[in-house]
C-alpha cells in the first residue's frame, strides 16, 4: 500500500475532506447492510453539511475552527458508519434499524456544528469561543434541521444524544429516550475519539490548530472560584507533551463510559481495529517527542479545509 495521504482515512482509500466521497462510501455500506437503496435524506445531509461549512447556509458564517473542520466531522462520520456496521453484524438489524443508522450518520455529521458562528452574533469573533457550549448549540441546530429532512420526531433524542461527544454532561447523566439511543450515543462518542486520534496528522493538528482553539475557548487556562488562574496547557508544545496522559483518559472513556463499543470496529474490518493501530502510532510518537522535548519532530502538513482558520498559529520551531 502507498504511504497514507494526509487527506485520506485510515484505509488510504477515502478522501475525508470531500463530503461526496465519504457519502458514497457510507451509502454503499448502508445498501449492503439493509439491502435497500440509500434514501435521499442521507445524501442530502452531506450536501447540506458542505454548504454549512463553506458558509453557504443562510444565516451562518463558514467554519473558522482549524481543528474542528469539515475533515474532522467527515472522519468521525465515516468511523460512526463503520462502528454501526460492525454493531449490526455482531447483533442484528432489530437493534440498529435502517432509520436509526441514518439518524446516527446525521448526528455524526452535525456533532460539531455548534462551532459554526451565526451571522447575527456580534460578540464572538471565532467559533472556538463556543468550545465549552458547542455541543448544546449543535443540539439546537439539529432541532431545527431534522424536521427539514423528515425526522421531526427525533429532535429531542438528537439534542440529548449529541452530548455523548462532549463533556458538558457526564455520560452517565445523559438522559435519552431509550436504550437504542444510548447505544447510538456510545458509538458516536467512540467514533469521535477514534477518528480524530487516528488521523495521520493528529499531533500536528493538536499543535497548530487545537491549542489556539483551547486558548480562544478558555480551555488552556481556567479561572478558579477564588480568582486564581489554573494553567492547563502552557503552550502548544505542552499540549503535545501531555497528549499521552490525555490518551489514558480517552481509553477509560472508551472502555468504561462508552461501554467498550469501540470494539465493534473489528467486526467491520474482519477482526482488526485499524483505528487503534494508527492511534497508538500517534501516541507512541507523542511519547518520543515528550522524552526528547523536541517539537520539530512534528513534520507532517495537514490538509487545509478552511481559509484563514490557521491565522496566528504557533511557529513550530520557535519554542
Amino acid at each position: 500500500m502507498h504511504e497514507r495521504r494526509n487527506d485520506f482515512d485510515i484505509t488510504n482509500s477515502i478522501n475525508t475532506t470531500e463530503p461526496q466521497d465519504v457519502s458514497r462510501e457510507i451509502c454503499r455500506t448502508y445498501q449492503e447492510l439493509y439491502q435497500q437503496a440509500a434514501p435521499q435524506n442521507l445524501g442530502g445531509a452531506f450536501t447540506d453539511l458542505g454548504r454549512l461549512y463553506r458558509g453557504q447556509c443562510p444565516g451562518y458564517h463558514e467554519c473558522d475552527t482549524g481543528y474542528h473542520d469539515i475533515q474532522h466531522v467527515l472522519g468521525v462520520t465515516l468511523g460512526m458508519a463503520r462502528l454501526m456496521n460492525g454493531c449490526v453484524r455482531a447483533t442484528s438489524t432489530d437493534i440498529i434499524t435502517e432509520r436509526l443508522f441514518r439518524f446516527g450518520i446525521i448526528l455524526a455529521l452535525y456533532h460539531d456544528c455548534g462551532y459554526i458562528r451565526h451571522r447575527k452574533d456580534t460578540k464572538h469573533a471565532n467559533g472556538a469561543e463556543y468550545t465549552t457550549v458547542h455541543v448544546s448549540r449543535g443540539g439546537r441546530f439539529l432541532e431545527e434541521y431534522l424536521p427539514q429532512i423528515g425526522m421531526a420526531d427525533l429532535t429531542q433524542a438528537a439534542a440529548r444524544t449529541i452530548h455523548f461527544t462532549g463533556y458538558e454532561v457526564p455520560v452517565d447523566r445523559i438522559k435519552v429516550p431509550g436504550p437504542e439511543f444510548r447505544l447510538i450515543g456510545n458509538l458516536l462518542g467512540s467514533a469521535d475519539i477514534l477518528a480524530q486520534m487516528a488521523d495521520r496528522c493528529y499531533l500536528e493538528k493538536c499543535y497548530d490548530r487545537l491549542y489556539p482553539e483551547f486558548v480562544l475557548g478558555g480551555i488552556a487556562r481556567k479561572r478558579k472560584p477564588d480568582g486564581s488562574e489554573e494553567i492547563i496547557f502552557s503552550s502548544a508544545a505542552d499540549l503535545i507533551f501531555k497528549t499521552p496522559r490525555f490518551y489514558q483518559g480517552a481509553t477509560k472513556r472508551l472502555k468504561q463510559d462508552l461501554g467498550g463499543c469501540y470494539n465493534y470496529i473489528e467486526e467491520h474490518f474482519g477482526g482488526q481495529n485499524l483505528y487503534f493501530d494508527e492511534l497508538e502510532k500517534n501516541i507512541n510518537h507523542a511519547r518520543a517527542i515528550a522524552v526528547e522535548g523536541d517539537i520539530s519532530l512534528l513534520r507532517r502538513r495537514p490538509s487545509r479545509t478552511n481559509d484563514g482558520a490557521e491565522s496566528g498559529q504557533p511557529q513550530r520551531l520557535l519554542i
Side-chain angles (χ1 to χ4, degrees):
M1 187 175 78
H2 297 296
E3 181 176 320
R4 185 177 163 200
R5 292 162 285 185
N6 294 344
D7 51 353
F8 276 65
D9 76 313
I10 55 167
T11 69
N12 205 29
S13 62
I14 301 165
N15 189 332
T16 51
T17 68
E18 294 293 338
Q20 295 314 309
D21 287 7
V22 177
S23 176
R24 279 192 294 271
E25 174 63 15
I26 290 177
C27 286
R28 183 190 65 78
T29 299
Y30 172 94
Q31 290 171 313
E32 290 182 358
L33 196 58
Y34 296 103
Q35 295 298 300
Q36 55 183 287
Q40 186 175 359
N41 74 347
L42 199 56
F46 281 89
T47 300
D48 292 341
L49 180 88
R51 294 179 62 246
L52 176 65
Y53 273 70
R54 289 192 299 267
Q56 298 171 349
C57 184
Y60 290 92
H61 288 285
E62 67 179 333
C63 174
D64 57 13
T65 46
Y67 185 88
H68 292 96
D69 62 353
I70 197 168
Q71 184 178 19
H72 167 73
V73 296
L74 290 174
V76 170
T77 304
L78 184 58
M80 179 63 169
R82 289 165 169 167
L83 279 169
M84 288 194 293
N85 181 52
C87 181
V88 169
R89 295 187 183 282
T91 54
S92 73
T93 55
D94 293 335
I95 296 177
I96 298 182
T97 63
E98 67 84 20
R99 193 166 190 259
L100 202 56
F101 182 98
R102 288 187 281 128
F103 175 73
I105 294 302
I106 291 164
L107 275 184
L109 278 173
Y110 293 92
H111 81 278
D112 274 342
C113 69
Y115 284 106
I116 306 293
R117 290 184 296 129
H118 200 282
R119 292 189 179 276
K120 292 181 179 179
D121 181 1
T122 58
K123 181 180 178 181
H124 302 91
N126 186 279
E129 295 173 47
Y130 293 121
T131 296
T132 58
V133 296
H134 79 277
V135 179
S136 293
R137 291 187 79 244
R140 291 193 291 273
F141 180 93
L142 285 168
E143 287 177 332
E144 295 182 6
Y145 180 68
L146 288 179
Q148 300 174 30
I149 59 172
M151 290 185 162
D153 58 308
L154 294 174
T155 55
Q156 185 182 60
R160 294 181 178 180
T161 308
I162 195 175
H163 278 282
F164 283 82
T165 65
Y167 294 86
E168 290 179 44
V169 182
V171 170
D172 61 352
R173 296 183 184 177
I174 300 173
K175 296 180 180 180
V176 289
E180 69 274 25
F181 294 104
R182 183 158 296 276
L183 173 60
I184 291 295
N186 285 337
L187 292 167
L188 180 62
S190 300
D192 192 21
I193 293 172
L194 291 178
Q196 64 183 296
M197 295 189 74
D199 187 298
R200 188 171 187 271
C201 297
Y202 171 63
L203 296 178
E204 286 80 2
K205 288 181 177 181
C206 284
Y207 186 92
D208 293 333
R209 305 178 181 185
L210 186 59
Y211 177 72
E213 287 189 22
F214 279 176
V215 172
L216 289 172
I219 301 298
R221 298 168 182 260
K222 291 185 178 180
R223 186 69 61 183
K224 294 182 179 180
D226 62 4
S228 63
E229 187 178 60
E230 178 184 5
I231 299 176
I232 309 300
F233 302 110
S234 60
S235 65
D238 189 40
L239 173 60
I240 299 301
F241 299 153
K242 291 177 178 176
T243 294
R245 187 189 307 172
F246 170 77
Y247 171 61
Q248 294 176 356
T251 301
K252 176 182 177 296
R253 187 172 174 88
L254 284 168
K255 293 182 177 180
Q256 298 181 24
D257 299 345
L258 300 173
C261 284
Y262 71 95
N263 286 312
Y264 284 123
I265 207 72
E266 296 176 8
E267 290 288 334
H268 176 84
F269 286 119
Q272 293 180 285
N273 193 324
L274 300 184
Y275 284 92
F276 246 97
D277 292 345
E278 297 301 316
L279 184 159
E280 289 180 344
K281 289 179 185 177
N282 284 332
I283 298 305
N284 287 335
H285 191 41
R287 292 190 181 108
I289 291 171
V291 169
E292 295 293 329
D294 185 2
I295 212 70
S296 70
L297 293 172
L298 295 177
R299 299 190 177 101
R300 292 169 177 169
R301 294 186 176 275
S303 300
R304 294 189 62 169
T305 59
N306 13 311
D307 294 335
E310 296 172 55
S311 59
Q313 70 181 39
Q315 292 300 309
R316 203 175 294 166
L317 301 182
L318 303 178
I319 61 171

